[in-house]
Amino acid sequence: MTATVPLPLVSALLELERAVGRLAEAVRDPARRERLWADAARRDAVAAARLDGAAVDPTDFLVATVAPELVPPARRATGIAAHALWSGVRLAQGKVRRPAPPPPFELTAPAGPAKPNDGPLGAASAAWRAVAELEAPDDGDAPFAEDAPAPLTPLPEPWTVAWLERLWCATQDGVSGRAADRLPPHEERQAGALLDRVEGLLGEPGLVGGIEALGYLLRPAPVARVAPWAVPLARLAAPALLARAARVPEVWLPAAPVLLAERTAARLAAGGADLDWRIWLAGALTAAAHAERRRADELDAMAAAWRQNAGTRRRNSRLPEVLDGLFEHPAFTVRRLQRRLATTFRGAQLIVDELVEAGVVREVTQRALDRVYVAVDLMP
């Protein structure tokens, strides 16, 4: 650290560095890390939407991740807004790519993870769809067009204007109600200036530069220093910035829950001197890192409890696989579960019945058709 850094900030940064290091150690296991990252993305999205003034219901948000049209009309806008922010978080995490539009009237692969070169399967896919529809009961879930995986476009290099543009486009349709393919010219120039500013601040060694850059990105209104359109993007990118500054790519520390939980304290600190704001932010992120470690332990305990509640199942049951998958996809329809497992509709329904009986999931849409089930312990 440079000799010009005030001692109170040095102390706060050392605490933050230790907390981030402990969190990195806690999520060294890839499966544990992926579980926590998916959970953090949901909490980040809902908190970010609330910071932007949307009174988001967590159930509506999870239903929107399945199909926005299933959210009740009176609350649909807020659920979609949180879903759009969630898409942005997952993009920032590098876990989701923006899908390219599928060719009209063609069906794509019914099961398995999407890959960059996945394409339509033509007659084979149509035959599979016909069989699935014959097997489905009349009151089952109707298939959605977006259930079929589409070709995926590559994610641009992080910390470029193209990367920020992709995050912005991913959120615009849900947040502002207008779809966008690229940044307007004046906002593209502002994005370049923002990135230049961040790069300049990161020139300071270690977390000194990191907290400078985070302070610049996260300062609340009315003293925020980034363009208004970029405020949501700044929150989405903040965890990646911290991971970069601390050189711990396995850590994802969501910023929006911190700012939401401590909204009054954040505004007071932001209204004071730059040093006070940076010290407060370092302390808040330190507490958040400790909370993420506890959350990782909670998710482990949750997984163990689910398996215990589900009891001993037949040896060829897909239930353990489904339980693990709930951490990434806590909301689903029977049809989507069927496609994910490449099984029959009847087989997927039996698994859902077991989950409901074990108290792991419950049906939340109260519909005769298109019923959505949610893992109740994973509500953000």
Side-chain angles (χ1 to χ4, degrees), residues 63 66-72 76 133 136-144 147 332-336 345 349 363-373:
V63 171
V66 176
E69 62 266 28
L70 295 183
V71 181
R76 189 170 296 162
E133 289 177 351
D138 291 339
D139 64 343
D141 294 306
F144 294 102
D147 279 351
F332 60 92
T333 62
V334 176
R335 176 74 67 187
R336 288 201 173 201
F345 186 95
Q349 183 66 68
E363 196 270 316
V364 296
T365 44
Q366 303 298 314
R367 299 167 60 100
L369 299 175
D370 309 332
R371 292 167 292 178
V372 177
Y373 296 84

Side-chain angles (χ1 to χ4, degrees), residues 63-347:
V63 171
T65 66
V66 176
E69 62 266 28
L70 295 183
V71 181
R75 307 192 303 271
R76 189 170 296 162
T78 57
I80 291 174
H83 172 258
L85 291 168
W86 170 77
S87 299
V89 175
R90 294 300 270 173
L91 269 172
Q93 290 180 339
K95 302 302 178 185
V96 175
R97 304 291 188 265
R98 185 183 181 188
F105 307 114
E106 287 190 315
L107 301 176
T108 52
K115 299 180 177 62
N117 294 321
D118 278 350
L121 296 182
S125 181
W128 173 88
R129 177 73 62 89
V131 171
E133 289 177 351
L134 286 173
E135 290 178 339
D138 291 339
D139 64 343
D141 294 306
F144 294 102
E146 64 270 21
D147 279 351
L152 302 177
T153 56
L155 191 65
E157 187 70 21
W159 304 106
T160 61
V161 171
W163 182 71
L164 279 183
E165 182 176 65
R166 178 67 67 80
L167 297 184
W168 183 78
C169 291
T171 63
Q172 279 308 289
D173 194 17
V175 172
S176 68
R178 57 189 176 99
D181 293 326
R182 61 170 301 163
L183 283 166
H186 72 284
E187 293 178 358
E188 187 174 355
R189 290 191 294 272
Q190 290 176 332
L194 184 149
L195 289 171
D196 288 344
R197 175 67 171 158
V198 167
E199 289 294 339
L201 293 171
L202 287 174
E204 293 290 330
L207 284 180
V208 175
I211 208 66
E212 288 274 1
L214 286 168
Y216 167 72
L217 289 178
L218 297 178
R219 202 155 192 168
V223 288
R225 293 174 180 174
V226 300
W229 68 268
V231 169
L233 297 188
R235 290 195 295 257
L236 296 184
L241 178 60
L242 178 63
R244 176 185 172 187
R247 294 187 174 88
V248 281
E250 62 271 27
V251 165
W252 190 269
L253 191 60
V258 176
L259 297 177
L260 181 66
E262 301 289 340
R263 183 182 294 186
T264 300
R267 288 186 181 276
L268 290 174
D274 284 347
L275 177 60
D276 294 336
W277 163 240
R278 296 197 301 272
I279 291 173
W280 180 88
L281 183 59
L285 290 173
T286 298
H290 293 316
E292 288 299 300
R293 286 177 60 207
R294 292 193 295 271
R295 182 60 177 170
D297 291 339
E298 291 171 2
L299 294 175
D300 287 347
M302 193 182 300
W306 284 355
R307 290 178 181 271
Q308 182 177 0
N309 291 343
T312 303
R313 304 293 169 179
R314 59 189 184 278
R315 184 160 47 182
N316 64 344
S317 174
R318 304 289 295 277
L319 188 59
E321 178 184 347
V322 174
L323 289 173
D324 291 338
L326 286 177
F327 289 99
E328 186 170 357
H329 303 285
F332 60 92
T333 62
V334 176
R335 176 74 67 187
R336 288 201 173 201
L337 183 62
Q338 173 196 2
R339 294 184 179 185
R340 195 172 300 141
L341 297 177
T343 185
T344 63
F345 186 95
R346 188 182 304 278

Side-chain angles (χ1 to χ4, degrees), residues 50-68:
R50 289 174 175 168
L51 282 171
D52 291 335
V56 179
D57 180 272
T59 301
D60 292 340
F61 158 65
L62 289 178
V63 171
T65 66
V66 176

